[in-house]
Amino acid sequence: MSDFAATLGGIFSNPNFYFTVLSTTVPILLATLGCAIAENAGSTNMAEEGIMILAAFFGVIGAAYTGSVWIGLLVAVVVGAVMGLMIAYFALYLKVDIILVGIAVNLIGSGLSAFLMYVITGDRSATTSLHSGTLPTISIPGLSDIPFIGTIISNQSVLAWIAYLAIPVMSFLLYKTKLGLRIRSVGENPDAASSVGVSVNRTKMAALVISGILGGLAGAYLSMSYLPYFSKGMSGGRGYIALAATAMANNTPVGSFGTSLLFGFFYALSTYSSTLGIPDQLVTTLPYVATLVGLVIFAINVQRKERKMLHESGGGHSSKAQQVADASEA
Amino acid sequence: MSGNMNRRQFLATSGIALAGLGLSACGGSSTSGNSSSDSGSSSDKKRIVYVINGTLGDKSFFDSGHEGMEKIADQYGDQYETDTREMGYDTSVWESTALDIASEGWDIMIMGTFDMVEYADEIATQYPDTKIWFFDESWDFNTYPHDNIYGMLFAQNQGSYLVGMAAAYATKTKKVAFMGGMQNKVLQDFFVGYKQGVAAVDPSVEVVDDWTQSFSDSTIGHDHARALYQQGYDIVFSCCSSCGLGAFDAAVEMGDGYYVIGVDGNQGEYWASQGDTAKAAHTLTSMQKNVNNTFLDAAGEELKGTLPYGTVVTYGLDKGGVSYSVTDTTKEVLTEEQLAAIDQAQQDIIDGKIQVDTTF
């Protein structure tokens, strides 16, 4: 047991571990932010998984055939945006259930990317023959000299920086801009929003396109930073994890950061698990156990809030003592 | 208006659902090789199919088997008609797909790995006229007595012993790792051989086993290998099919002094042939499972009528079933004496002077 503690201590004092935590969090974070903004507008975007894998694939193809990873990134983003637009068109204008659209996009994503990979490159499992390259990494001179922190944050991909910067940007967008206010009001109460002249469909569409772009960035990260090629099924369920992370985060950008970091942490830990002498299966289930626990806590919180609101609006004279009693009950 | 809307909705929903299903099916089973549809009519060629529970393109195990099928077609094209079928990585379709293929009435079906044992048992029972060559798992004839099954096993422990020696010679940190897909008997067999080979050179070298729980996701292989390198294990023996490809990227990222030992195919040579010199330079050697040669051998014996159905034959170093590869990188990292020592060990294993541990 002390052996175990020593190894665990060794992992936790290794800056490279935190580097891995941050880098594995990136695609989950981007997808989670994508789910969150759609959710804020009242549309559940289930399709991040499919968007991610298609963007990862087309990004690599774009990069390989133009010889520029930046164009590859652009292609991935455009693919993400187009997918978001497509989902919006089907769900908002053709009135197809958005969950069904999401499932269809995910199925198309995994099948089409594998199929086109074979047709275009002749590869069946990974496009290693394309040499599509990777996006540059960033190390800021001053920062990378700081002993522990330097190792963690330097040499992270440019997309990792974009992902972490996306958190404040998205907070600003949602809570400080007109579009953000519209998105939230459409999600909260579409009828009220449309009564004051906000176009519900157009606002939801904007949210879904942003959601698609974030999914596209996540895909680009997978195939142009994480690995320098597209590999079949490389989205690896991250789009679904993002759905859970969004729910746990109550659809807020900062919360999304916290929950995706949690998944990133446990995923990174699972890759280090062999030296801990505990079964890898156990560690890989931890994020999901954490999700369950998180969702329970979240549900309890919501219940408590609702009860409080009921008290306030119903009785109007709920005493401080009563509230404390409620809280301890929950 | 509303009726029209409903029809539009219906069409749109069913349209995308169908598109989704159709395309995802493309990822499932597909056909390649030289099959002909009018077969079985009057031709007396033996019809032989290689059923893959995965996809081609892993640059190792399954690809090597496919190469074997091509060799059979080349060498015995007048007597065999060959085909290769991929069933994909969705385990839920393996049973039905395998039974579907079996119902086409093949003379010989080649399939393997521990996942497929029960399905092969089912086929062998339902189609007594179809012969099955079952590879990469010791067929248990006591539990599943079939006289139409021929078991082919690879002595991966022997080959792993040799690359374990190479790892022990090459490590600077005195820590080496094994990265396997899943803890089944075959992969354990790799590990025990590897461990013993390392210890034979230097018992003070630490060997760790790491299990990725994936054979397909390269990102997982990349992350696990990177974690191992970061913890000071400078040699990783990567044994998990497509998942293991990620280990090469991790080694390249880590830079000088970090190596991968490839598996099943000669992966160093493969990277070099792709012009990927960086990866080739990080591939110390490969433990080759020569699935191709064993298929070809079996095909030859089958024609002579000497293939011993009802038994399991182990293809070891002696029969060329396994081997270790020597590339430019191998020669750069290891000295001539060290390579000679590995060759000597190979001879000793063949002669029975060295007994390699096994899980079988």
Side-chain angles (χ1 to χ4, degrees), chain A residues 31 35 44-54 83-84 87 98-107 109 208 211-212 215 239-240 243:
Chain A
C35 285
T44 302
N45 185 6
M46 275 221 22
E48 289 292 350
E49 181 80 7
I51 295 175
M52 222 190 282
I53 195 88
L54 282 175
M83 295 305 288
I87 293 166
I98 195 160
I99 302 291
L100 283 183
V101 182
I103 293 171
V105 169
N106 291 340
L107 284 171
L208 281 168
S211 176
Y240 300 120
L243 277 175

Side-chain angles (χ1 to χ4, degrees), chain B residues 84-233:
Chain B
T84 299
R85 301 284 179 88
E86 298 162 87
M87 303 199 293
Y89 284 102
D90 181 359
T91 51
S92 63
V93 302
W94 286 353
E95 181 174 13
S96 54
T97 314
L99 282 167
D100 270 355
I101 297 171
S103 72
E104 295 165 14
W106 296 89
D107 294 310
I108 297 160
M109 286 176 77
I110 308 181
M111 56 176 87
T113 79
F114 74 112
D115 289 318
M116 296 296 292
V117 171
E118 280 171 31
Y119 312 143
D121 171 52
E122 219 171 306
I123 293 169
T125 313
Q126 281 186 33
Y127 301 94
D129 294 338
T130 300
K131 290 167 176 171
I132 298 176
W133 300 353
F134 200 87
F135 66 99
D136 210 36
E137 173 70 14
S138 183
W139 189 269
D140 183 357
F141 283 100
N142 293 320
T143 319
Y144 307 106
H146 293 293
D147 54 9
N148 54 338
I149 287 189
Y150 168 62
M152 296 188 280
L153 203 57
F154 303 94
Q156 52 268 332
N157 59 332
Q158 298 181 353
S160 300
Y161 182 97
L162 301 181
V163 297
M165 290 179 73
Y169 285 130
T171 180
K172 297 271 187 300
T173 57
K174 300 277 173 207
K175 284 161 93 179
V176 301
F178 171 84
M179 189 171 97
M182 240 160 243
Q183 297 194 44
N184 60 48
K185 257 174 129 182
V186 167
L187 282 164
Q188 296 276 16
D189 201 33
F190 271 99
F191 178 60
V192 292
Y194 180 65
K195 202 171 164 181
Q196 196 185 351
V198 173
V201 170
D202 184 352
S204 71
V205 172
E206 188 192 328
V207 188
V208 74
D209 54 328
D210 179 76
W211 306 91
T212 60
Q213 311 303 338
S214 169
F215 286 106
S216 54
D217 191 342
S218 315
T219 62
I220 293 180
H222 165 267
D223 292 338
H224 275 254
R226 201 182 150 95
L228 289 165
Y229 289 137
Q230 299 282 16
Q231 291 177 96
Y233 299 89

Side-chain angles (χ1 to χ4, degrees), chain A residues 11-49:
Chain A
I11 291 173
F12 288 154
S13 58
N14 184 351
N16 289 310
F17 172 71
Y18 299 99
F19 177 93
T20 308
V21 171
L22 284 189
S23 62
T24 55
T25 300
V26 170
I28 303 174
L29 173 64
L30 284 166
T32 305
L33 289 174
C35 285
I37 193 158
E39 204 68 52
N40 267 291
S43 321
T44 302
N45 185 6
M46 275 221 22
E48 289 292 350
E49 181 80 7

Side-chain angles (χ1 to χ4, degrees), chain A residues 16 19 90 93-94 111 123-125 129 131 226 228-229 231-232 238 267 271-272 274-275 280-281, chain B residues 5 8-9 16 23 55-57 59 86 209-211 213 218-220 223 226-227 230-231 233 249 274:
Chain A
N16 289 310
F19 177 93
F90 276 110
Y93 294 95
L94 298 183
D123 282 316
R124 285 166 184 275
S125 76
S129 56
H131 306 296
Y226 214 47
Y229 50 81
S231 150
K232 192 178 158 184
R238 289 177 181 87
Y267 177 78
T271 66
Y272 277 75
S274 55
T275 45
D280 180 62
Q281 295 98 318
Chain B
M5 196 61 187
R8 265 172 74 196
Q9 280 174 29
I16 49 180
L23 284 163
T55 54
L56 289 175
K59 326 289 181 213
E86 298 162 87
D209 54 328
D210 179 76
W211 306 91
Q213 311 303 338
S218 315
T219 62
I220 293 180
D223 292 338
R226 201 182 150 95
Q230 299 282 16
Q231 291 177 96
Y233 299 89
D249 299 287
Q274 291 282 312

